[in-house]
Amino acid sequence: MQAMWRFMLFGVCICICFPEAHGALVVSRRAAQMQETKDAMTTRSIKKRSTNSANVEVYSVKVACTVTSRFAHTVMTSKALNKANSSQEIFFEVDLPKTAFITNFNMEIDGQVYVGEVKEKERAAKQYEEAASAGKTAGLVKASGRKMEKFSVSVNIAAKGSVTFILTYEELLQRQMSTYEIVTRVNIEHPVQEFQILTDIYEPQGITFVEAGATFLTNELLPLVQKTVTDTKAHISFSPTAEQQKCQGCKGTQIIGDFTIKYDVKRAEKLGEVQVVNGYFVHFFFPPDLPRVPKNVVFVIDRSGSMNGRKMAQTRDAMVAILNDLHEEDHFGIILFDDDIQPWRNYLTKATKKNVSQAISYAKGINDDGSTNINDAVLKAVNMLKKEREQQKVPERSTDMIFLLTDGMPNHGVINTETIQRNVHSAIAGKMSLFCLGFGNDVDYSFLDVMSKQNKGLARRIFEGSDAVVQLKGFYEEVSSPLLLEVDLRYPGNTERLTQTHYSQLFNGSEIVVAGQLNGNDLDNFLVEVSGQGPEENFGVQGKVSVADWNITYPDKEYIFGNFTERLWAYLTIKQLLEKGDVPQEETKGITAKALALRYNFVTPLTSMVVTKPETQDGADGSFIADKLTEEQRQAAERQQKHGPAPAQHASSHTGSSRGGSSRGGSSRGGSSRGYSDVDGDPHFMIELPDRDDTLCFNINDKPGTIFNLVTDPKSGFVVNGEIIGKKKVVPDGNINSYFGRFGISHRKLGVRLEVSTGNISVFYSGIQVQLQWSNTTSLKYANMDLSLSNNCSLMVMLRHSVKFMVIKHTKVWKKHHDQQDYLGFYTLDSHHLSASVHGLLGQFYHGVVFEVENLHQDEVQNKVDATMHVKGQMFNVTRHWQKDFSRDVKNGQNILCWFVDNNGRGLIDGTASDYTVSELFTAA
């Protein structure tokens, strides 16, 4: 098994790994090839090395980000030294934002520099295929979670040699909810001598605020976040020493989580902000103090059978939250569809408190059933909005919107997607906006994306997971408050090659960005005109813009900015041309996205970066391809990354939520992310990893009366222990079933203690004792604790600035034996405030786990998928299983696919299960 150093920085994950002395290392890597060869697979094996991992030192990791008028230029540098007397294979993996374009990647090996070259995808594909046929290719870009994409490269470093990896990428920061955000994802498993995150922000219009924080910050680390902010610039740094990176009382480091910078700029001018550098301009438009435009919105909700379980429950929760956010001047409607179309009312309803309350009651009762008739459902919404317009029942100056939420393909009524697109486009006729939300991985996202763009809207994928409600509500909030409609931006005079200048809406908290080229440098006569439709009158503004003099605003800094406006123009032009299928546009003088990408060295879906690696000892060299994935390619890759076919389910026709993160027939180096650890049933432990979209599980079997420590956080004093109970009626020569029947939950700093059994609940807080019965429906609110008991089986507890969890009481009935069993389940809902030293059977996984799975194969006899797992230096067999997660559906549960680790979790958990036993229910481990 290889040793591994992994760092996730600014949306970048760097992984440097090499073989340990014991045994052979074989790394197979799945390679999703070029778009032209998109389902081909290739693997490469690294031969055995007899070296000691302690002799390779990763001694420097640095991320330097410069933001110039929202345009972010990021350089990531990592350095490693091979101190051994023999060669080592070192891997370099990078996760970067999917909105960014890679612009350069260099490797410097013992003074020799190897530079990546951007080529047309067709030429790169040919070179790649030649290298692949010769067995010389090493790695590819692939999807990595929801917002990232990963590329990796390996290189053989000679004895006493060194390597420096340098990655550069650029992106235009998007303003959402009145904020620009820079996220640095950090996951340092071993201390690094030189570790730096440096960010410089230059905004000549003026900065209103800058916030910097991290999920892993402790009181000791907090002073290391250095922030210097003036009117027009900000400097943020985070540079913990190797000693400060260490985790006290546990292995590894405490630098695990997201480092986030948020900021915004001043907006005093109605014309907006214009920057001009070297003949290129960029115009940021978002005038201050605009009233919102009333909206008429129809929610079209898929309730077909595939929406069963968690997705339907999350849709109900999201609809409740969205309906509560409607303004009284808005009008709304709800249409449910499967193979039948069912409107809540056949007309739009004004969003009064009474009407919203009635709609919420209706939304709470939505259930799944039937097939998927998207065509008729959307056309019903269009006709409903048209009718309201014709009868003048909605304000003249308002905007019409349709929100379509679906999780699958149309399979009833009109099922041809191109026909549906034509029908909808013809019906809407440019008079309303269609926003599509594709729920899960089975949806035809390309179909929804095209249909939205044809009708002045946007599409967004909603990923299955515990935060789906947040995703749904977040997208709605981004587009639910239009301030201007039909916005036109004009630049009379000598401008050319403009990016998009017409926008259907300007939403609250966003901004419009236009860039272009100036003919001449007569800035005194640079005119800007902006017009649009407001809620009460037309908006119009024109005038000469005030352009900042960068040499005066930032003296002695001109070397930093270079040609950023030109590169921003190229970045924006490429993005918009790709959305239009890279058809040459009149306003861009016939230039194509491919030509621009080659000129400015951007890795896009039309171009690839090729890195030729140095020869190895056996004389073989190799090529590395850095690609850019489309959203459709990302979705296809995610489908391929499922861990093989699901095992058969019994007594249920629902497939549930399938989770996976590795490749079929290959291997996947696991990501490390925050996990959700739960225990329920007999007793089944589940570790859900949302970023990895996968779940691990294991059982613990022991005699009744045994008490296990589930969670211990020594810094806060939060402890959860659970006592095993046995089945009341034991069948002779049958399996001995055991469950958790009692939990002892305490928090030393908050002075909280809960004893939860199948019989009742005892709450001890600030000298007060409260006894609750499971039959109660109640809520208790204290200074540091919120507790609610409902549904005769669900206890929800939130401890302020610490943790949120749920305890569920189950009653299992065996009709055949005329027997029943009460038992408890414990679900962690939010643990990010707990320290890095948290441990226990559940707690050790709160900060995630790094693993890989390989050698997948189908057991035809038992109809199951087996594989080999590598985790924590161990290697063992695992099997694909279904488990029940009751956190969202307390009554029926949700089927979750997981990798099952046998033998009481040995190898996955630290130590053995017996190491976690304690003597009393409230004893700290």
Side-chain angles (χ1 to χ4, degrees):
M1 187 62 195
Q2 72 250 16
M4 187 178 299
W5 274 256
R6 173 165 287 141
F7 315 90
M8 289 185 178
L9 304 169
F10 187 57
V12 176
C13 166
I14 310 138
C15 171
I16 300 178
C17 50
F18 42 85
E20 292 182 352
H22 55 278
L25 166 68
V26 179
V27 177
S28 298
R29 278 196 276 168
R30 174 177 164 277
Q33 295 189 8
M34 301 290 137
Q35 186 174 357
E36 292 77 7
T37 57
K38 59 184 174 183
D39 287 324
M41 295 287 185
T42 182
T43 59
R44 177 178 183 270
S45 295
I46 297 171
K47 296 180 180 179
K48 178 178 179 179
R49 313 284 181 186
S50 57
T51 52
N52 192 327
S53 63
N55 289 324
V56 171
E57 178 188 4
V58 180
Y59 62 89
S60 177
V61 174
K62 181 179 178 181
V63 172
C65 175
T66 302
V67 181
T68 312
S69 283
R70 290 72 135 184
F71 194 61
H73 174 91
T74 302
V75 179
M76 186 282 300
T77 306
S78 181
K79 301 178 180 180
L81 175 66
N82 179 12
K83 298 185 290 185
N85 293 320
S86 57
S87 64
Q88 300 264 18
E89 193 81 5
I90 298 181
F91 286 83
F92 177 80
E93 289 188 348
V94 177
D95 277 283
L96 68 155
K98 67 181 183 181
T99 53
F101 288 155
I102 296 172
T103 63
N104 203 4
F105 178 68
N106 295 346
M107 296 185 296
E108 183 177 340
I109 303 172
D110 295 330
Q112 180 70 39
V113 179
Y114 301 86
V115 182
E117 181 183 1
V118 175
K119 298 182 178 182
E120 294 182 22
K121 186 174 285 287
E122 293 81 2
R123 290 181 58 196
K126 182 178 180 181
Q127 181 174 340
Y128 178 86
E129 289 165 1
E130 290 173 353
S133 64
K136 298 178 180 179
T137 184
L140 292 181
V141 167
K142 58 184 178 182
S144 178
R146 301 173 183 178
K147 298 182 179 180
M148 302 289 177
E149 54 194 25
K150 181 192 300 290
F151 79 88
S152 58
V153 65
S154 67
V155 63
N156 190 43
I157 302 300
K160 308 299 183 181
S162 63
V163 59
T164 299
F165 299 104
I166 304 174
L167 171 82
T168 305
Y169 67 86
E170 295 177 331
E171 67 172 326
L172 178 63
L173 299 180
Q174 301 295 312
R175 188 172 188 255
Q176 294 179 333
M177 308 302 290
S178 303
T179 300
Y180 304 100
E181 185 175 86
I182 306 165
V183 177
T184 303
R185 184 156 296 165
V186 184
N187 188 353
I188 304 178
E189 295 185 352
H190 299 277
V192 179
Q193 289 302 317
E194 182 185 32
F195 174 73
Q196 290 183 318
I197 300 174
L198 304 174
T199 302
D200 289 290
I201 301 171
Y202 298 92
E203 295 286 358
Q205 187 175 354
I207 299 172
T208 58
F209 76 91
V210 177
E211 296 176 354
T215 57
F216 53 80
L217 287 181
T218 62
N219 291 335
E220 292 76 18
L221 291 176
L222 189 60
L224 302 181
V225 180
Q226 300 291 321
K227 184 175 68 173
T228 304
V229 183
T230 65
D231 185 46
T232 59
K233 61 184 177 181
H235 176 78
I236 302 97
S237 65
F238 179 64
S239 305
T241 65
E243 188 64 29
Q244 291 167 330
Q245 296 166 32
K246 292 180 180 178
C247 174
Q248 300 301 319
C250 63
K251 296 180 180 180
T253 77
Q254 58 183 331
I255 313 299
I256 300 174
D258 287 348
F259 186 90
T260 304
I261 298 171
K262 297 181 179 182
Y263 80 96
D264 200 11
V265 300
K266 296 178 180 178
R267 301 177 186 278
E269 300 293 332
K270 283 193 172 184
L271 272 174
E273 171 194 358
V274 175
Q275 303 298 337
V276 179
V277 176
N278 294 337
Y280 285 83
F281 79 91
V282 58
H283 179 200
F284 301 95
F285 176 72
F286 187 87
D289 305 324
L290 288 177
R292 62 181 299 279
V293 176
K295 62 180 177 292
N296 315 306
V297 56
V298 179
F299 301 101
V300 183
I301 308 299
D302 184 349
R303 65 166 188 179
S304 60
S306 58
M307 286 285 289
N308 76 90
R310 172 183 269 195
K311 284 191 283 189
M312 196 75 263
Q314 290 173 325
T315 299
R316 288 192 293 264
D317 290 347
M319 279 301 301
V320 170
I322 288 170
L323 290 168
N324 273 319
D325 281 346
L326 290 170
H327 294 260
E328 191 153 340
E329 64 269 24
D330 295 334
H331 292 73
F332 72 99
I334 301 173
I335 295 176
L336 308 181
F337 73 95
D338 40 45
D339 47 308
D340 186 32
I341 313 301
Q342 180 183 327
W344 173 47
R345 294 172 178 171
N346 289 314
Y347 52 88
L348 294 188
T349 302
K350 200 171 192 305
T352 63
K353 290 183 179 180
K354 179 180 178 181
N355 288 335
V356 167
S357 178
Q358 292 173 347
I360 288 174
S361 297
Y362 178 76
K364 288 180 177 179
I366 299 175
N367 291 309
D368 54 275
D369 188 25
S371 305
T372 308
N373 187 347
I374 292 177
N375 183 80
D376 291 354
V378 176
L379 293 183
K380 177 70 174 178
V382 173
N383 291 331
M384 187 182 292
L385 288 165
K386 282 184 175 180
K387 184 177 179 180
E388 298 294 309
R389 282 281 175 197
E390 292 169 356
Q391 297 179 357
Q392 299 181 348
K393 292 182 177 180
V394 294
E396 180 181 357
R397 287 183 175 270
S398 59
T399 184
D400 296 340
M401 296 177 167
I402 298 171
F403 282 85
L404 168 65
L405 171 65
T406 181
D407 77 328
M409 294 278 290
N411 57 16
H412 189 86
V414 180
I415 61 174
N416 182 279
T417 55
E418 292 184 359
T419 302
I420 296 173
Q421 289 168 345
R422 287 195 299 269
N423 291 345
V424 171
H425 184 59
S426 175
I428 287 179
K431 296 179 180 179
M432 56 194 72
S433 299
L434 173 64
F435 300 93
C436 295
L437 297 95
F439 204 149
N441 205 33
D442 296 324
V443 71
D444 186 346
Y445 179 78
S446 178
F447 156 59
L448 298 180
D449 187 43
V450 171
M451 190 163 63
S452 294
K453 290 173 180 176
Q454 289 175 340
N455 296 287
K456 303 195 299 185
L458 300 169
R460 180 73 55 85
R461 286 184 63 198
I462 303 300
F463 295 85
E464 291 186 56
S466 58
D467 66 338
V469 174
V470 177
Q471 297 177 61
L472 289 165
K473 190 171 184 294
F475 176 73
Y476 174 77
E477 288 175 345
E478 287 179 31
V479 299
S480 64
S481 294
L483 304 179
L484 290 177
L485 308 177
E486 307 304 334
V487 183
D488 286 299
L489 301 97
R490 293 175 293 274
Y491 307 90
N494 297 323
T495 60
E496 62 179 8
R497 291 182 173 174
L498 299 173
T499 59
Q500 181 177 333
T501 58
H502 175 81
Y503 289 83
S504 300
Q505 306 100 353
L506 171 64
F507 297 109
N508 188 33
S510 67
E511 71 182 352
I512 290 174
V513 183
V514 179
Q517 189 172 358
L518 293 173
N519 290 329
N521 294 313
D522 186 10
L523 299 182
D524 292 335
N525 293 313
F526 184 21
L527 299 177
V528 174
E529 298 177 358
V530 184
S531 62
Q533 300 173 14
E536 298 176 355
E537 58 185 11
N538 288 337
F539 175 91
V541 61
Q542 60 181 348
K544 297 179 181 179
V545 297
S546 176
V547 179
D549 189 328
W550 288 74
N551 293 326
I552 296 176
T553 307
Y554 306 106
D556 303 323
K557 294 287 186 180
E558 62 271 13
Y559 66 92
I560 293 177
F561 310 123
N563 59 345
F564 87 89
T565 50
E566 182 178 353
R567 295 191 65 81
L568 189 157
W569 164 80
Y571 173 94
L572 200 55
T573 301
I574 292 170
K575 288 277 189 180
Q576 293 174 358
L577 285 173
L578 289 174
E579 289 183 358
K580 298 174 182 177
D582 198 26
V583 178
Q585 305 292 310
E586 180 181 350
E587 56 268 28
T588 59
K589 300 287 186 180
I591 198 167
T592 65
K594 182 190 293 184
L596 277 179
L598 292 170
R599 176 179 175 183
Y600 290 95
N601 223 53
F602 285 137
V603 177
T604 73
L606 304 176
T607 55
S608 300
M609 179 174 286
V610 180
V611 180
T612 301
K613 302 191 302 174
E615 291 187 357
T616 59
Q617 290 176 335
D618 57 10
D621 61 5
S623 294
F624 165 77
I625 301 292
D627 260 344
K628 183 71 178 177
L629 303 180
T630 65
E631 193 63 36
E632 292 74 30
Q633 289 171 321
R634 290 173 61 85
Q635 188 179 12
E638 289 164 14
R639 287 172 178 158
Q640 292 170 352
Q641 286 170 357
K642 298 298 180 184
H643 293 288
Q649 297 186 77
H650 303 285
S652 174
S653 61
H654 301 310
T655 58
S657 175
S658 174
R659 295 171 178 255
S662 186
S663 55
R664 188 187 308 272
S667 77
S668 170
R669 182 170 297 117
S672 177
S673 62
R674 183 171 300 281
Y676 296 94
S677 305
D678 316 310
V679 62
D680 209 334
D682 183 22
H684 307 302
F685 290 78
M686 294 176 288
I687 302 103
E688 298 186 52
L689 303 166
D691 288 351
R692 181 76 185 267
D693 194 21
D694 208 351
T695 302
L696 308 180
C697 57
F698 60 94
N699 290 355
I700 296 289
N701 297 306
D702 213 305
K703 62 181 182 295
T706 304
I707 301 174
F708 286 105
N709 173 249
L710 304 181
V711 184
T712 295
D713 183 14
K715 290 196 174 183
S716 66
F718 178 66
V719 176
V720 181
N721 293 329
E723 181 180 353
I724 295 289
I725 60 173
K727 184 178 176 182
K728 290 188 296 184
K729 188 174 182 179
V730 178
V731 179
D733 300 323
N735 293 327
I736 299 176
N737 298 100
S738 57
Y739 310 87
F740 277 112
R742 200 161 60 115
F743 291 125
I745 305 163
S746 59
H747 195 296
R748 186 184 67 251
K749 288 188 176 181
L750 299 182
V752 172
R753 193 172 76 169
L754 301 172
E755 183 175 341
V756 184
S757 70
T758 57
N760 54 48
I761 302 155
S762 297
V763 183
F764 303 87
Y765 180 70
S766 297
I768 302 172
Q769 179 177 352
V770 179
Q771 185 107 347
L772 301 174
Q773 302 298 319
W774 283 104
S775 57
N776 297 146
T777 298
T778 186
S779 62
L780 303 176
K781 290 186 178 291
Y782 300 102
N784 292 309
M785 178 178 68
D786 290 350
L787 181 150
S788 63
L789 181 59
S790 61
N791 297 330
N792 200 31
C793 60
S794 172
L795 172 68
M796 187 90 68
V797 180
M798 183 180 70
L799 302 179
R800 301 292 168 81
H801 309 297
S802 181
V803 66
K804 184 178 182 181
F805 59 88
M806 173 191 290
V807 179
I808 299 174
K809 178 192 171 186
H810 302 276
T811 298
K812 187 171 184 178
V813 179
W814 292 270
K815 295 182 179 179
K816 181 178 179 180
H817 300 291
H818 306 286
D819 189 22
Q820 69 178 47
Q821 177 71 53
D822 293 339
Y823 62 93
L824 303 176
F826 181 92
Y827 290 85
T828 309
L829 304 181
D830 185 356
S831 63
H832 81 273
H833 286 294
L834 297 180
S835 73
S837 55
V838 65
H839 208 262
L841 282 171
L842 295 179
Q844 63 188 289
F845 301 108
Y846 283 170
H847 294 295
V849 60
V850 178
F851 70 94
E852 60 179 284
V853 177
E854 63 182 5
N855 301 327
L856 281 76
H857 57 279
Q858 178 84 27
D859 186 329
E860 300 296 344
V861 176
Q862 299 187 33
N863 191 23
K864 64 179 183 176
V865 178
D866 295 323
T868 302
M869 176 174 287
H870 299 270
V871 62
K872 297 182 178 180
Q874 306 287 324
M875 181 177 70
F876 44 81
N877 293 329
V878 291
T879 305
R880 209 66 169 134
H881 269 228
W882 290 100
Q883 295 287 16
K884 282 278 192 178
D885 178 350
F886 291 88
S887 60
R888 296 297 301 178
D889 187 344
V890 174
K891 181 180 179 181
N892 301 309
Q894 177 71 38
N895 288 317
I896 300 293
L897 261 180
C898 70
W899 286 114
F900 182 79
V901 180
D902 209 348
N903 198 18
N904 283 348
R906 183 182 291 271
L908 176 60
I909 64 173
D910 296 336
T912 64
S914 61
D915 297 332
Y916 297 86
T917 60
V918 293
S919 58
E920 301 291 340
L921 194 62
F922 290 97
T923 300

